[in-house]
């Protein structure tokens, strides 16, 4: 750097999602002077819109409740799931440090977690288990003080009135609000509090899921003196003779430089809205515009471009470049579209997904990534990979359908704007959706008789632990299966989408970016979706983005600070539980 920098620090971090903020908080606790640069005006990235779950095998909450397993359990599971993408050095470092990461944040920051001890891994291959997930505990936004205005609100498509609803008991109460007095009271209190918060503060203050995770990390960062700059986009990396030494960024319309003695961490959120990169890596998006991600539109691949410019290598050999998810395009009044990720209702009893020919193609209760892989396989080359979610009046009243919320919310506006299709008969519905009527009729005719008994001989809905927990526990004999027979009928179109991307900068076990010869680039780290997923383009469990993001952020901070991981673990008593 030939001129005096505008800012000096030990570590500069580009991006403010879970990976970036976890790195910042850990590094600051270790004694580094840290600056976080976020190009959006609000903080949190994709994390703030997410469910907030983290896959952390052998975490302290699981151990405390009696779920104790040897490290070989999750290691075996990952070996079976990842196949030839299994990198022992990354897997071993993650499995060793993930529980220590959780213990560190519990012991030394404002982070608190709730357990996911009932949540199973996606698949049933050897080594699969439950109790490997944690989520940020709800957080009172008042504790953020003036920082609250900087926190990105929850994703509007999935948050009624901007109110976050946590998976589990909170969501069950909302779904049962018209069924039981206890659930009605819970929901009424939540809505009343949220309404009051909006009137006084302009947004809800009962923060849950990913919003709570970001809020707790922000509160911890502020307490530790981390400097955070919003509206600041990193444009290039700088280097001295031997290492990456800082960044050049644009802030308030002018160029600034930041010198970082210990290095730079890229945590910009991957490339879910970079058409050029998608055209290269997504077979179903030949122009880069056929893909519809639910991630923030500002995630345009900045971190990958910054890394490439200084010689960092990008993993291009993954079986899947993105974390696929079925999404629907939600019309907005201004003519734009939002994207609703269909993560929950697919497993509920009384819904199927069909191709334009009217035929089913998947076990709809499987993990979102798996459902989309089945859609891609079932789609003829050159034909857009779209399908339809089909349900009846009973289902939509109970669960809603995508952006259409359950009773007592109205359906009419969504029918009027074309998002929700409906028909008095299945033939009417098929015609409204341009689905082959004979194909849909044959599918429902075959599906309904066994469905009345709770069976699905075609695709075995409800046959796995993950299917069952995603279904409706009170519905017997199968929590995922019910007939579709109560008119009118409804449908929403599903297009290819994602929650984020897997392809990123190759790193070593310390999160250091690697060059084309697998040599570390001194002073350059990548975490979150800028780091090539340690899962190698596979999706074995929920939370496999945020769990590694937090863990490798924790690891990167230690490496940048020159402090051994074991030294911090000794100061975190919960790690020994």
């Amino acid at each position: 750097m030939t001129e005096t920098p505008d800012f000096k620090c030990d570590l500069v971090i580009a991006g403010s999602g879970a990976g970036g903020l976890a790195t910042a908080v850990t590094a600051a606790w270790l004694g580094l002077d840290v600056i976080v640069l976020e190009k959006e005006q609000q903080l949190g990235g994709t994390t703030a819109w997410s469910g907030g779950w983290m896959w952390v095998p052998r975490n302290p909450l699981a151990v405390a409740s009696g779920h104790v397993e040897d490290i070989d359990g999750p290691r075996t599971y990952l070996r079976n799931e990842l196949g030839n993408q299994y990198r022992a050095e990354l897997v071993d470092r993650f499995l060793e440090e993930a529980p220590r990461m959780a213990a560190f944040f519990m012991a030394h920051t404002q982070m608190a977690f709730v357990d996911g001890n009932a949540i199973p891994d996606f698949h049933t291959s050897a080594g699969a288990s439950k109790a490997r997930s944690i989520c940020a505990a709800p957080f009172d936004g008042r504790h953020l003080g003036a920082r609250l205005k900087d926190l990105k609100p929850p994703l509007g498509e999935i948050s009624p009135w901007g109110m976050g609803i946590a998976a589990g008991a909170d969501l069950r109460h909302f779904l049962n609000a018209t069924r039981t007095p206890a659930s009605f009271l819970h929901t009424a209190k939540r809505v009343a509090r949220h309404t009051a918060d909006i009137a006084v503060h302009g947004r809800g203050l009962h923060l849950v899921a990913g919003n709570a995770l970001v809020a707790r990390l922000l509160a911890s960062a502020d307490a530790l003196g981390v400097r955070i700059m919003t509206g600041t986009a990193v444009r290039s990396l700088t280097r001295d003779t031997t290492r990456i030494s800082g960044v050049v960024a644009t802030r308030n319309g002018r160029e600034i430089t930041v010198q970082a003695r210990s290095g730079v961490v890229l945590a910009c959120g991957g490339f879910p809205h970079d058409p050029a990169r998608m055209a290269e890596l997504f077979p179903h998006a030949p122009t880069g515009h056929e893909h519809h991600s639910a991630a923030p539109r500002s995630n345009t691949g900045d971190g990958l471009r910054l890394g490439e410019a200084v010689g960092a290598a990008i993993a291009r050999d993954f079986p899947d470049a993105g974390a696929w998810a079925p999404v629907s395009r939600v019309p907005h009044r201004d003519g734009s579209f939002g994207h609703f990720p269909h993560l929950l209702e697919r497993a509920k009893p009384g819904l199927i997904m069909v191709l334009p020919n009217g035929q089913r193609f998947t076990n709809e209760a499987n993990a979102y990534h798996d459902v989309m892989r089945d859609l891609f396989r079932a789609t003829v080359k050159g034909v857009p990979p779209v399908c339809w979610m089909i349900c009846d009046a009973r289902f939509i009243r109970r669960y809603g359908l995508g952006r259409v919320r359950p009773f007592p919310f109205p359906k009419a506006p969504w029918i009027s704007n074309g998002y929700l299709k409906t028909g008095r008969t299945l033939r009417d519905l098929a015609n409204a959706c341009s689905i082959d009527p004979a194909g849909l009729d044959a599918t429902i005719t075959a599906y309904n008789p066994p469905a009345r008994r709770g069976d699905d001989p075609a695709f075995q809905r409800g046959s796995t632990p993950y299917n069952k927990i995603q279904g409706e526990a009170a519905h017997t004999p199968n929590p995922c299966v019910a007939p579709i027979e109560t008119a009118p009928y409804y449908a929403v179109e599903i297009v290819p989408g994602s929650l984020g991307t897997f392809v990123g900068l190759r790193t070593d076990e310390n999160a250091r970016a690697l060059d084309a010869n697998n040599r570390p680039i001194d002073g350059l780290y990548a975490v979150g979706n800028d780091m090539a997923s340690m899962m190698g383009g596979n999706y074995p469990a929920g939370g496999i983005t945020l769990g590694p993001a937090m863990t490798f952020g924790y690891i990167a901070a230690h490496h940048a600070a020159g402090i051994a991981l074991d030294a911090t673990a000794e100061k975190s008593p919960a790690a020994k539980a």
Side-chain angles (χ1 to χ4, degrees):
M1 203 174 283
T2 57
E3 299 180 0
T4 302
D6 296 278
F7 299 92
K8 291 184 179 181
C9 64
D10 293 315
L11 192 66
V12 62
I13 298 165
S16 64
L21 291 178
T23 310
V25 170
T26 307
W29 189 85
L30 292 171
L32 297 190
D33 178 18
V34 181
I35 293 178
V36 173
L37 307 179
E38 168 57 56
K39 76 174 182 179
E40 288 198 80
Q41 294 301 325
Q42 291 183 304
L43 302 163
T46 307
T47 304
W49 283 0
S50 74
W53 287 97
M54 293 153 274
W55 197 65
V56 181
R58 305 184 307 125
N59 66 76
L61 277 69
V63 172
S65 64
H67 294 273
V68 179
E69 64 175 333
D70 187 86
I71 195 171
D72 282 337
R75 182 186 284 133
T76 297
Y77 182 60
L78 291 182
R79 186 176 289 113
N80 285 320
E81 288 285 306
L82 307 191
N84 62 10
Q85 292 294 337
Y86 183 90
R87 289 182 60 191
E89 71 277 14
L90 292 184
V91 170
D92 288 347
R93 179 58 60 88
F94 169 72
L95 293 178
E96 290 164 359
E97 299 304 331
R100 292 178 174 180
M101 174 276 296
F104 164 79
F105 278 100
M106 291 168 62
H108 302 299
T109 76
Q110 298 191 41
M111 185 61 65
F113 299 111
V114 295
D115 71 70
N117 290 344
I119 299 175
D121 295 329
F122 282 171
H123 307 130
T124 55
S125 60
S129 187
K130 296 181 180 180
R132 292 172 175 171
S133 298
I134 56 176
C135 188
F139 185 73
D140 187 340
R142 293 173 181 82
H143 297 318
L144 281 178
R147 177 66 72 192
L148 181 67
K149 72 180 187 307
D150 295 329
L151 174 64
K152 184 194 296 287
L155 178 62
E157 272 70 28
I158 62 174
S159 307
W161 311 295
M163 175 173 56
I165 299 174
D170 194 27
L171 177 60
R172 286 194 295 272
H173 278 305
F174 274 85
L175 290 175
N176 290 320
T178 61
R179 292 183 157 211
T180 71
S183 290
F184 176 82
L185 182 60
H186 172 92
T187 303
K189 287 181 177 178
R190 288 275 276 111
V191 171
R193 173 179 172 175
H194 184 73
T195 302
D197 287 343
I198 290 177
V200 177
H201 302 280
R203 63 160 293 165
L205 297 181
H206 180 72
L207 309 181
V208 300
N211 229 233
L213 176 57
V214 174
R216 288 183 175 278
L217 288 169
L218 283 176
S220 303
D222 284 341
L224 289 165
V226 173
R227 289 179 279 171
I228 300 175
M229 303 179 191
T230 58
T232 306
V234 177
R235 300 303 183 194
S236 62
L237 304 177
T238 59
R239 64 162 79 226
D240 58 23
T241 55
T242 60
R243 66 195 316 275
I244 300 301
S245 59
V247 304
V248 177
T250 302
R251 186 183 191 209
N252 297 328
R254 79 176 188 91
E255 187 176 279
I256 64 169
T257 58
V258 182
Q259 186 179 75
R261 289 176 287 272
S262 299
V264 176
V265 181
L266 299 176
C268 304
F271 63 95
H273 292 285
D274 179 355
R277 192 81 68 180
M278 288 190 288
E280 175 194 353
L281 296 169
F282 292 5
H284 62 275
T287 72
H289 296 283
E290 298 86 353
H291 186 81
H292 308 274
S293 180
R297 294 188 183 278
S298 59
N299 290 10
T300 54
D302 297 349
L304 275 65
R305 287 191 295 273
L306 290 166
E308 276 186 309
V310 296
I314 291 179
R316 287 183 168 87
D317 58 345
F318 288 177
D320 290 304
W324 311 137
V327 304
S328 52
R329 300 179 73 229
V330 181
H332 293 168
R333 291 180 180 178
D334 63 2
S336 65
F337 287 86
H339 298 102
F340 185 97
H342 293 260
L343 308 182
L344 298 176
E345 85 268 48
R346 290 175 296 100
K348 301 297 188 284
L351 175 145
I352 61 172
M353 298 171 70
V354 301
L355 299 167
N357 63 12
Q359 297 176 9
R360 291 174 70 200
F361 60 92
T362 190
N363 175 344
E364 300 88 352
N366 280 347
Y368 33 89
H369 185 78
D370 296 340
V371 167
M372 289 307 299
R373 294 184 78 180
D374 287 345
L375 175 61
F376 294 146
R377 281 191 288 264
T379 301
V380 177
K381 186 176 181 180
V383 175
V386 300
C387 63
W388 294 84
M389 284 188 176
I390 306 290
C391 71
D392 64 8
R394 179 173 52 186
F395 182 98
I396 203 168
R397 178 184 176 89
R398 174 86 174 94
Y399 304 110
L401 186 64
R403 179 59 181 83
V404 183
R405 310 203 194 284
F407 179 83
F409 290 93
K411 298 185 292 292
W414 301 104
I415 296 173
S416 296
N417 69 16
Y419 175 77
L420 181 67
K421 305 296 185 182
T422 186
R424 293 300 306 175
T425 67
L426 287 169
R427 179 169 289 273
D428 291 340
L429 181 68
N431 289 331
C433 302
S434 297
I435 297 171
D436 176 49
L440 181 60
D441 182 71
T443 294
I444 298 296
T445 298
Y447 171 79
N448 275 345
R452 295 186 189 103
R453 304 188 300 269
D455 293 333
D456 178 24
F459 291 98
Q460 295 78 50
R461 278 174 67 100
S463 60
T464 70
Y466 180 78
N467 282 185
K468 290 181 172 67
I469 199 167
Q470 293 292 102
E472 175 65 76
H475 182 81
T476 57
N478 188 327
C480 302
V481 176
I484 299 172
E485 56 189 358
T486 305
Y489 302 95
Y490 299 92
V492 165
E493 185 181 32
I494 299 301
V495 296
S498 63
L499 303 180
T501 50
F502 286 150
V503 165
L505 303 176
R506 290 199 181 278
T507 66
D508 67 7
E509 67 274 18
N510 294 309
R512 292 184 297 177
L514 301 174
D515 66 16
N517 296 311
N518 285 324
R519 295 174 304 201
I521 298 174
D522 197 16
L524 183 61
Y525 303 85
V527 299
N529 285 350
D530 282 353
M531 172 186 177
S533 172
M534 61 158 285
M535 301 299 172
N538 298 281
Y539 214 137
I544 56 91
T545 296
L546 292 181
M550 294 276 291
T551 301
F552 281 101
Y554 169 82
I555 292 167
H558 279 80
H559 190 273
I563 296 175
L565 289 156
D566 288 346
T568 300
E570 288 300 314
K571 298 179 182 179
S572 301
K576 303 176 184 178

